[in-house]
Amino acid sequence: MPQTLEVLTKVARFRDGLEIECKNHGTHTRWKCYKNNVVCLFCMAERAKRYQRRNHLRYLALWAKRRDPASEITEEFLKDLLCRQENRCALSGVLFDEMYRPSVDRRDSTQGYRRENVQLVLADINRMKTNLPQSRFIELCVRVAVRNDHGRHE
């Protein structure tokens, strides 16, 4: 398959460290050479974000597989888990939607991504929990709520 002169020119400019024109992002030097072609890194990031939004559960399954090659998590399993959790966060009960997207959490962070060890939680909650055991995380959340007078209605 012959390459166009435009592609060959872009590859040559990339190798020389020169700026290249992107139809979406103007002229810049943020490019990656990929299979004898150059791709704008900004366009790549936008495509990845669109893919993640459109195929969120598939993205989560692939992400778990990258983190743990022995992962048992599949897109079908996550669809089933989401249904069993009634489309809600396992820890907060918040309904998942475009703003509140699910994230795969390991109940026990010392174990892998096995089906009996994962739950879907809000991404923010997963970031807060990090590697804490679930019981410790919940205990700390209760302390924060009590300390900040969670029961008070203003």
Side-chain angles (χ1 to χ4, degrees):
M1 180 164 81
Q3 291 184 321
T4 67
L5 182 60
E6 180 184 356
V7 170
L8 293 174
T9 303
K10 282 184 175 181
V11 171
R13 291 185 67 78
F14 173 79
R15 290 194 176 128
D16 291 340
L18 300 173
E19 290 186 335
I20 303 170
E21 176 79 26
C22 171
K23 293 174 186 171
N24 299 319
H25 300 101
T27 304
H28 60 86
T29 58
R30 302 282 301 160
W31 297 81
K32 179 178 180 175
C33 194
Y34 181 73
K35 294 186 180 180
N36 292 327
N37 194 3
V38 289
V39 182
C40 168
L41 293 178
F42 301 116
C43 288
M44 281 178 64
E46 288 171 3
R47 269 193 303 277
K49 201 165 252 188
R50 280 193 309 271
Y51 175 84
Q52 181 182 351
R53 258 187 255 117
R54 279 194 315 264
N55 307 292
H56 193 65
L57 295 179
R58 183 180 307 152
Y59 170 81
L60 290 176
L62 291 171
W63 182 86
K65 191 71 165 172
R66 277 195 301 266
R67 296 247 357 232
D68 177 8
S71 171
E72 300 172 353
I73 307 307
T74 64
E75 181 181 8
E76 290 305 313
F77 169 76
L78 291 177
K79 284 179 184 177
D80 181 57
L81 183 59
L82 191 62
C83 186
R84 283 187 277 134
Q85 288 184 203
E86 299 175 349
N87 202 35
R88 293 183 179 277
C89 171
L91 294 176
S92 71
V94 171
L95 193 62
F96 294 123
D97 61 18
E98 284 297 312
M99 190 170 142
Y100 297 112
R101 292 187 167 269
S103 176
V104 177
D105 173 53
R106 292 174 293 158
R107 287 183 180 97
D108 181 348
S109 298
T110 64
Q111 297 181 25
Y113 287 88
R114 294 193 331 271
R115 292 177 180 212
E116 66 276 359
N117 189 43
V118 298
Q119 59 191 351
L120 292 171
V121 299
L122 294 172
D124 288 339
I125 287 179
N126 205 357
R127 277 192 297 278
M128 289 188 299
K129 184 175 175 277
T130 61
N131 292 329
L132 286 173
Q134 187 159 307
S135 58
R136 177 73 174 138
F137 173 71
I138 292 170
E139 174 192 332
L140 291 172
C141 286
V142 168
R143 287 177 178 255
V144 167
V146 167
R147 173 83 172 143
N148 288 280
D149 201 15
H150 180 69
R152 184 182 61 197
H153 298 286
E154 295 179 17

mmCIF file of all heavy atoms in Angstrom, residues 41-73:
data_model
loop_
_atom_site.group_PDB
_atom_site.id
_atom_site.type_symbol
_atom_site.label_atom_id
_atom_site.label_comp_id
_atom_site.label_asym_id
_atom_site.label_seq_id
_atom_site.Cartn_x
_atom_site.Cartn_y
_atom_site.Cartn_z
ATOM 1 N N LEU A 41 -0.723 13.865 19.141
ATOM 2 C CA LEU A 41 -0.983 13.365 20.496
ATOM 3 C C LEU A 41 -2.271 13.934 21.079
ATOM 4 O O LEU A 41 -2.957 13.254 21.842
ATOM 5 C CB LEU A 41 0.206 13.687 21.410
ATOM 6 C CG LEU A 41 1.499 12.942 21.078
ATOM 7 C CD1 LEU A 41 2.618 13.386 22.017
ATOM 8 C CD2 LEU A 41 1.306 11.445 21.171
ATOM 9 N N PHE A 42 -2.626 15.152 20.704
ATOM 10 C CA PHE A 42 -3.876 15.740 21.189
ATOM 11 C C PHE A 42 -5.074 14.984 20.597
ATOM 12 O O PHE A 42 -6.035 14.692 21.303
ATOM 13 C CB PHE A 42 -3.953 17.225 20.826
ATOM 14 C CG PHE A 42 -2.823 18.036 21.390
ATOM 15 C CD1 PHE A 42 -1.918 18.667 20.550
ATOM 16 C CD2 PHE A 42 -2.647 18.177 22.760
ATOM 17 C CE1 PHE A 42 -0.876 19.416 21.058
ATOM 18 C CE2 PHE A 42 -1.603 18.930 23.286
ATOM 19 C CZ PHE A 42 -0.714 19.548 22.423
ATOM 20 N N CYS A 43 -4.997 14.672 19.303
ATOM 21 C CA CYS A 43 -6.082 13.912 18.653
ATOM 22 C C CYS A 43 -6.179 12.517 19.262
ATOM 23 O O CYS A 43 -7.281 11.999 19.471
ATOM 24 C CB CYS A 43 -5.842 13.809 17.147
ATOM 25 S SG CYS A 43 -6.084 15.365 16.253
ATOM 26 N N MET A 44 -5.026 11.895 19.545
ATOM 27 C CA MET A 44 -5.029 10.564 20.168
ATOM 28 C C MET A 44 -5.741 10.604 21.517
ATOM 29 O O MET A 44 -6.540 9.729 21.835
ATOM 30 C CB MET A 44 -3.596 10.050 20.369
ATOM 31 C CG MET A 44 -2.955 9.490 19.135
ATOM 32 S SD MET A 44 -1.254 8.947 19.432
ATOM 33 C CE MET A 44 -1.492 7.623 20.598
ATOM 34 N N ALA A 45 -5.442 11.613 22.326
ATOM 35 C CA ALA A 45 -6.057 11.729 23.653
ATOM 36 C C ALA A 45 -7.564 11.944 23.534
ATOM 37 O O ALA A 45 -8.337 11.356 24.304
ATOM 38 C CB ALA A 45 -5.415 12.878 24.428
ATOM 39 N N GLU A 46 -7.987 12.743 22.567
ATOM 40 C CA GLU A 46 -9.424 12.970 22.373
ATOM 41 C C GLU A 46 -10.128 11.693 21.933
ATOM 42 O O GLU A 46 -11.222 11.385 22.401
ATOM 43 C CB GLU A 46 -9.641 14.079 21.343
ATOM 44 C CG GLU A 46 -9.295 15.450 21.872
ATOM 45 C CD GLU A 46 -9.293 16.520 20.792
ATOM 46 O OE1 GLU A 46 -9.612 16.216 19.615
ATOM 47 O OE2 GLU A 46 -8.972 17.672 21.128
ATOM 48 N N ARG A 47 -9.490 10.929 21.023
ATOM 49 C CA ARG A 47 -10.078 9.659 20.577
ATOM 50 C C ARG A 47 -10.188 8.680 21.730
ATOM 51 O O ARG A 47 -11.195 7.992 21.892
ATOM 52 C CB ARG A 47 -9.240 9.038 19.451
ATOM 53 C CG ARG A 47 -9.678 9.459 18.080
ATOM 54 C CD ARG A 47 -9.055 8.600 16.993
ATOM 55 N NE ARG A 47 -7.609 8.564 16.999
ATOM 56 C CZ ARG A 47 -6.825 9.476 16.448
ATOM 57 N NH1 ARG A 47 -7.342 10.511 15.819
ATOM 58 N NH2 ARG A 47 -5.519 9.358 16.505
ATOM 59 N N ALA A 48 -9.155 8.616 22.567
ATOM 60 C CA ALA A 48 -9.166 7.711 23.719
ATOM 61 C C ALA A 48 -10.283 8.093 24.687
ATOM 62 O O ALA A 48 -10.987 7.224 25.207
ATOM 63 C CB ALA A 48 -7.812 7.734 24.426
ATOM 64 N N LYS A 49 -10.477 9.376 24.907
ATOM 65 C CA LYS A 49 -11.531 9.835 25.817
ATOM 66 C C LYS A 49 -12.920 9.506 25.260
ATOM 67 O O LYS A 49 -13.806 9.070 25.988
ATOM 68 C CB LYS A 49 -11.392 11.343 26.042
ATOM 69 C CG LYS A 49 -12.052 11.832 27.295
ATOM 70 C CD LYS A 49 -11.579 13.201 27.642
ATOM 71 C CE LYS A 49 -10.707 13.015 28.851
ATOM 72 N NZ LYS A 49 -10.249 14.149 29.522
ATOM 73 N N ARG A 50 -13.105 9.694 23.936
ATOM 74 C CA ARG A 50 -14.391 9.343 23.307
ATOM 75 C C ARG A 50 -14.643 7.845 23.415
ATOM 76 O O ARG A 50 -15.753 7.412 23.716
ATOM 77 C CB ARG A 50 -14.413 9.774 21.837
ATOM 78 C CG ARG A 50 -14.709 11.246 21.637
ATOM 79 C CD ARG A 50 -15.034 11.574 20.194
ATOM 80 N NE ARG A 50 -14.073 11.087 19.225
ATOM 81 C CZ ARG A 50 -12.996 11.747 18.815
ATOM 82 N NH1 ARG A 50 -12.726 12.935 19.297
ATOM 83 N NH2 ARG A 50 -12.197 11.221 17.914
ATOM 84 N N TYR A 51 -13.593 7.039 23.180
ATOM 85 C CA TYR A 51 -13.735 5.579 23.285
ATOM 86 C C TYR A 51 -14.128 5.204 24.707
ATOM 87 O O TYR A 51 -15.020 4.389 24.924
ATOM 88 C CB TYR A 51 -12.430 4.882 22.897
ATOM 89 C CG TYR A 51 -12.478 3.392 23.110
ATOM 90 C CD1 TYR A 51 -13.026 2.558 22.147
ATOM 91 C CD2 TYR A 51 -11.994 2.822 24.281
ATOM 92 C CE1 TYR A 51 -13.089 1.193 22.340
ATOM 93 C CE2 TYR A 51 -12.059 1.459 24.489
ATOM 94 C CZ TYR A 51 -12.597 0.653 23.511
ATOM 95 O OH TYR A 51 -12.667 -0.698 23.715
ATOM 96 N N GLN A 52 -13.454 5.791 25.681
ATOM 97 C CA GLN A 52 -13.736 5.488 27.086
ATOM 98 C C GLN A 52 -15.177 5.824 27.436
ATOM 99 O O GLN A 52 -15.848 5.067 28.137
ATOM 100 C CB GLN A 52 -12.778 6.255 27.986
ATOM 101 C CG GLN A 52 -12.988 5.977 29.454
ATOM 102 C CD GLN A 52 -12.063 6.785 30.336
ATOM 103 O OE1 GLN A 52 -11.151 7.433 29.862
ATOM 104 N NE2 GLN A 52 -12.305 6.744 31.620
ATOM 105 N N ARG A 53 -15.690 6.961 26.924
ATOM 106 C CA ARG A 53 -17.068 7.347 27.218
ATOM 107 C C ARG A 53 -18.071 6.407 26.555
ATOM 108 O O ARG A 53 -19.056 6.014 27.156
ATOM 109 C CB ARG A 53 -17.323 8.779 26.741
ATOM 110 C CG ARG A 53 -17.299 9.766 27.875
ATOM 111 C CD ARG A 53 -17.713 11.158 27.422
ATOM 112 N NE ARG A 53 -16.502 11.962 27.343
ATOM 113 C CZ ARG A 53 -16.019 12.503 26.239
ATOM 114 N NH1 ARG A 53 -16.630 12.380 25.103
ATOM 115 N NH2 ARG A 53 -14.919 13.193 26.264
ATOM 116 N N ARG A 54 -17.833 6.071 25.286
ATOM 117 C CA ARG A 54 -18.787 5.237 24.535
ATOM 118 C C ARG A 54 -18.766 3.788 24.974
ATOM 119 O O ARG A 54 -19.779 3.108 24.932
ATOM 120 C CB ARG A 54 -18.463 5.288 23.039
ATOM 121 C CG ARG A 54 -18.993 6.494 22.332
ATOM 122 C CD ARG A 54 -18.931 6.321 20.825
ATOM 123 N NE ARG A 54 -17.681 5.786 20.333
ATOM 124 C CZ ARG A 54 -16.658 6.495 19.863
ATOM 125 N NH1 ARG A 54 -16.741 7.795 19.839
ATOM 126 N NH2 ARG A 54 -15.569 5.920 19.424
ATOM 127 N N ASN A 55 -17.610 3.284 25.376
ATOM 128 C CA ASN A 55 -17.436 1.864 25.701
ATOM 129 C C ASN A 55 -16.881 1.717 27.109
ATOM 130 O O ASN A 55 -15.887 1.027 27.317
ATOM 131 C CB ASN A 55 -16.472 1.212 24.700
ATOM 132 C CG ASN A 55 -16.877 1.439 23.276
ATOM 133 O OD1 ASN A 55 -17.882 0.914 22.832
ATOM 134 N ND2 ASN A 55 -16.101 2.232 22.556
ATOM 135 N N HIS A 56 -17.532 2.354 28.067
ATOM 136 C CA HIS A 56 -16.945 2.471 29.400
ATOM 137 C C HIS A 56 -16.677 1.113 30.067
ATOM 138 O O HIS A 56 -15.600 0.895 30.615
ATOM 139 C CB HIS A 56 -17.814 3.340 30.310
ATOM 140 C CG HIS A 56 -17.115 3.747 31.560
ATOM 141 N ND1 HIS A 56 -16.013 4.567 31.561
ATOM 142 C CD2 HIS A 56 -17.332 3.416 32.854
ATOM 143 C CE1 HIS A 56 -15.584 4.720 32.788
ATOM 144 N NE2 HIS A 56 -16.372 4.048 33.598
ATOM 145 N N LEU A 57 -17.621 0.187 30.018
ATOM 146 C CA LEU A 57 -17.410 -1.103 30.672
ATOM 147 C C LEU A 57 -16.316 -1.906 29.970
ATOM 148 O O LEU A 57 -15.505 -2.566 30.620
ATOM 149 C CB LEU A 57 -18.711 -1.895 30.748
ATOM 150 C CG LEU A 57 -19.789 -1.266 31.634
ATOM 151 C CD1 LEU A 57 -21.047 -2.120 31.633
ATOM 152 C CD2 LEU A 57 -19.295 -1.047 33.053
ATOM 153 N N ARG A 58 -16.267 -1.838 28.638
ATOM 154 C CA ARG A 58 -15.190 -2.517 27.909
ATOM 155 C C ARG A 58 -13.843 -1.907 28.287
ATOM 156 O O ARG A 58 -12.862 -2.615 28.504
ATOM 157 C CB ARG A 58 -15.414 -2.408 26.399
ATOM 158 C CG ARG A 58 -14.355 -3.155 25.590
ATOM 159 C CD ARG A 58 -14.577 -3.038 24.099
ATOM 160 N NE ARG A 58 -15.938 -3.432 23.767
ATOM 161 C CZ ARG A 58 -16.598 -2.966 22.727
ATOM 162 N NH1 ARG A 58 -16.035 -2.089 21.910
ATOM 163 N NH2 ARG A 58 -17.816 -3.365 22.478
ATOM 164 N N TYR A 59 -13.818 -0.576 28.389
ATOM 165 C CA TYR A 59 -12.596 0.113 28.801
ATOM 166 C C TYR A 59 -12.155 -0.349 30.190
ATOM 167 O O TYR A 59 -10.978 -0.624 30.421
ATOM 168 C CB TYR A 59 -12.824 1.627 28.780
ATOM 169 C CG TYR A 59 -11.716 2.410 29.410
ATOM 170 C CD1 TYR A 59 -10.551 2.683 28.706
ATOM 171 C CD2 TYR A 59 -11.812 2.847 30.726
ATOM 172 C CE1 TYR A 59 -9.511 3.386 29.302
ATOM 173 C CE2 TYR A 59 -10.792 3.557 31.322
ATOM 174 C CZ TYR A 59 -9.647 3.813 30.603
ATOM 175 O OH TYR A 59 -8.620 4.499 31.197
ATOM 176 N N LEU A 60 -13.107 -0.452 31.132
ATOM 177 C CA LEU A 60 -12.767 -0.889 32.490
ATOM 178 C C LEU A 60 -12.219 -2.317 32.501
ATOM 179 O O LEU A 60 -11.267 -2.620 33.230
ATOM 180 C CB LEU A 60 -13.988 -0.794 33.407
ATOM 181 C CG LEU A 60 -14.470 0.608 33.756
ATOM 182 C CD1 LEU A 60 -15.741 0.546 34.582
ATOM 183 C CD2 LEU A 60 -13.396 1.403 34.475
ATOM 184 N N ALA A 61 -12.807 -3.195 31.686
ATOM 185 C CA ALA A 61 -12.333 -4.589 31.618
ATOM 186 C C ALA A 61 -10.911 -4.634 31.048
ATOM 187 O O ALA A 61 -10.047 -5.356 31.573
ATOM 188 C CB ALA A 61 -13.279 -5.426 30.768
ATOM 189 N N LEU A 62 -10.642 -3.861 30.014
ATOM 190 C CA LEU A 62 -9.294 -3.818 29.433
ATOM 191 C C LEU A 62 -8.298 -3.221 30.413
ATOM 192 O O LEU A 62 -7.161 -3.676 30.532
ATOM 193 C CB LEU A 62 -9.299 -3.022 28.130
ATOM 194 C CG LEU A 62 -10.022 -3.660 26.961
ATOM 195 C CD1 LEU A 62 -10.151 -2.669 25.809
ATOM 196 C CD2 LEU A 62 -9.305 -4.917 26.508
ATOM 197 N N TRP A 63 -8.728 -2.201 31.139
ATOM 198 C CA TRP A 63 -7.866 -1.557 32.126
ATOM 199 C C TRP A 63 -7.481 -2.557 33.222
ATOM 200 O O TRP A 63 -6.321 -2.638 33.624
ATOM 201 C CB TRP A 63 -8.603 -0.351 32.714
ATOM 202 C CG TRP A 63 -7.802 0.431 33.709
ATOM 203 C CD1 TRP A 63 -6.928 1.432 33.460
ATOM 204 C CD2 TRP A 63 -7.818 0.246 35.126
ATOM 205 N NE1 TRP A 63 -6.399 1.892 34.631
ATOM 206 C CE2 TRP A 63 -6.921 1.184 35.664
ATOM 207 C CE3 TRP A 63 -8.496 -0.612 35.981
ATOM 208 C CZ2 TRP A 63 -6.689 1.278 37.033
ATOM 209 C CZ3 TRP A 63 -8.263 -0.509 37.331
ATOM 210 C CH2 TRP A 63 -7.367 0.429 37.844
ATOM 211 N N ALA A 64 -8.459 -3.336 33.697
ATOM 212 C CA ALA A 64 -8.183 -4.343 34.738
ATOM 213 C C ALA A 64 -7.203 -5.388 34.204
ATOM 214 O O ALA A 64 -6.306 -5.829 34.925
ATOM 215 C CB ALA A 64 -9.480 -5.007 35.191
ATOM 216 N N LYS A 65 -7.358 -5.766 32.945
ATOM 217 C CA LYS A 65 -6.470 -6.763 32.327
ATOM 218 C C LYS A 65 -5.046 -6.221 32.220
ATOM 219 O O LYS A 65 -4.076 -6.958 32.419
ATOM 220 C CB LYS A 65 -7.021 -7.145 30.946
ATOM 221 C CG LYS A 65 -6.366 -8.333 30.339
ATOM 222 C CD LYS A 65 -6.765 -9.568 31.088
ATOM 223 C CE LYS A 65 -6.440 -10.815 30.312
ATOM 224 N NZ LYS A 65 -6.666 -12.004 31.123
ATOM 225 N N ARG A 66 -4.905 -4.931 31.909
ATOM 226 C CA ARG A 66 -3.563 -4.331 31.838
ATOM 227 C C ARG A 66 -2.908 -4.293 33.216
ATOM 228 O O ARG A 66 -1.713 -4.495 33.357
ATOM 229 C CB ARG A 66 -3.637 -2.915 31.264
ATOM 230 C CG ARG A 66 -3.664 -2.879 29.761
ATOM 231 C CD ARG A 66 -3.370 -1.489 29.234
ATOM 232 N NE ARG A 66 -4.296 -0.487 29.695
ATOM 233 C CZ ARG A 66 -5.380 -0.099 29.052
ATOM 234 N NH1 ARG A 66 -5.686 -0.628 27.904
ATOM 235 N NH2 ARG A 66 -6.169 0.825 29.552
ATOM 236 N N ARG A 67 -3.699 -4.003 34.251
ATOM 237 C CA ARG A 67 -3.155 -3.946 35.615
ATOM 238 C C ARG A 67 -2.829 -5.324 36.150
ATOM 239 O O ARG A 67 -1.904 -5.482 36.934
ATOM 240 C CB ARG A 67 -4.166 -3.279 36.567
ATOM 241 C CG ARG A 67 -4.442 -1.862 36.237
ATOM 242 C CD ARG A 67 -3.999 -0.810 37.194
ATOM 243 N NE ARG A 67 -3.392 -1.118 38.434
ATOM 244 C CZ ARG A 67 -3.782 -0.652 39.606
ATOM 245 N NH1 ARG A 67 -4.845 0.098 39.680
ATOM 246 N NH2 ARG A 67 -3.138 -0.940 40.686
ATOM 247 N N ASP A 68 -3.642 -6.332 35.737
ATOM 248 C CA ASP A 68 -3.485 -7.692 36.248
ATOM 249 C C ASP A 68 -3.762 -8.667 35.105
ATOM 250 O O ASP A 68 -4.918 -8.945 34.800
ATOM 251 C CB ASP A 68 -4.468 -7.917 37.400
ATOM 252 C CG ASP A 68 -4.437 -9.327 37.955
ATOM 253 O OD1 ASP A 68 -3.549 -10.116 37.573
ATOM 254 O OD2 ASP A 68 -5.309 -9.649 38.780
ATOM 255 N N PRO A 69 -2.703 -9.183 34.458
ATOM 256 C CA PRO A 69 -2.899 -10.087 33.317
ATOM 257 C C PRO A 69 -3.754 -11.318 33.649
ATOM 258 O O PRO A 69 -4.359 -11.906 32.762
ATOM 259 C CB PRO A 69 -1.484 -10.489 32.927
ATOM 260 C CG PRO A 69 -0.624 -9.376 33.423
ATOM 261 C CD PRO A 69 -1.294 -8.880 34.684
ATOM 262 N N ALA A 70 -3.840 -11.685 34.922
ATOM 263 C CA ALA A 70 -4.650 -12.842 35.321
ATOM 264 C C ALA A 70 -6.098 -12.433 35.626
ATOM 265 O O ALA A 70 -6.875 -13.241 36.118
ATOM 266 C CB ALA A 70 -4.032 -13.512 36.542
ATOM 267 N N SER A 71 -6.460 -11.206 35.303
ATOM 268 C CA SER A 71 -7.797 -10.690 35.599
ATOM 269 C C SER A 71 -8.889 -11.564 35.001
ATOM 270 O O SER A 71 -8.802 -12.031 33.879
ATOM 271 C CB SER A 71 -7.924 -9.270 35.047
ATOM 272 O OG SER A 71 -9.259 -8.829 35.139
ATOM 273 N N GLU A 72 -9.951 -11.741 35.782
ATOM 274 C CA GLU A 72 -11.124 -12.501 35.337
ATOM 275 C C GLU A 72 -12.247 -11.566 34.896
ATOM 276 O O GLU A 72 -13.361 -12.002 34.637
ATOM 277 C CB GLU A 72 -11.637 -13.380 36.485
ATOM 278 C CG GLU A 72 -10.626 -14.377 36.993
ATOM 279 C CD GLU A 72 -11.100 -15.096 38.255
ATOM 280 O OE1 GLU A 72 -12.150 -14.726 38.818
ATOM 281 O OE2 GLU A 72 -10.398 -16.032 38.662
ATOM 282 N N ILE A 73 -11.977 -10.278 34.837
ATOM 283 C CA ILE A 73 -13.006 -9.278 34.565
ATOM 284 C C ILE A 73 -13.207 -9.118 33.061
ATOM 285 O O ILE A 73 -12.253 -8.868 32.330
ATOM 286 C CB ILE A 73 -12.606 -7.919 35.189
ATOM 287 C CG1 ILE A 73 -12.265 -8.079 36.664
ATOM 288 C CG2 ILE A 73 -13.692 -6.888 34.983
ATOM 289 C CD1 ILE A 73 -13.322 -8.759 37.489
#
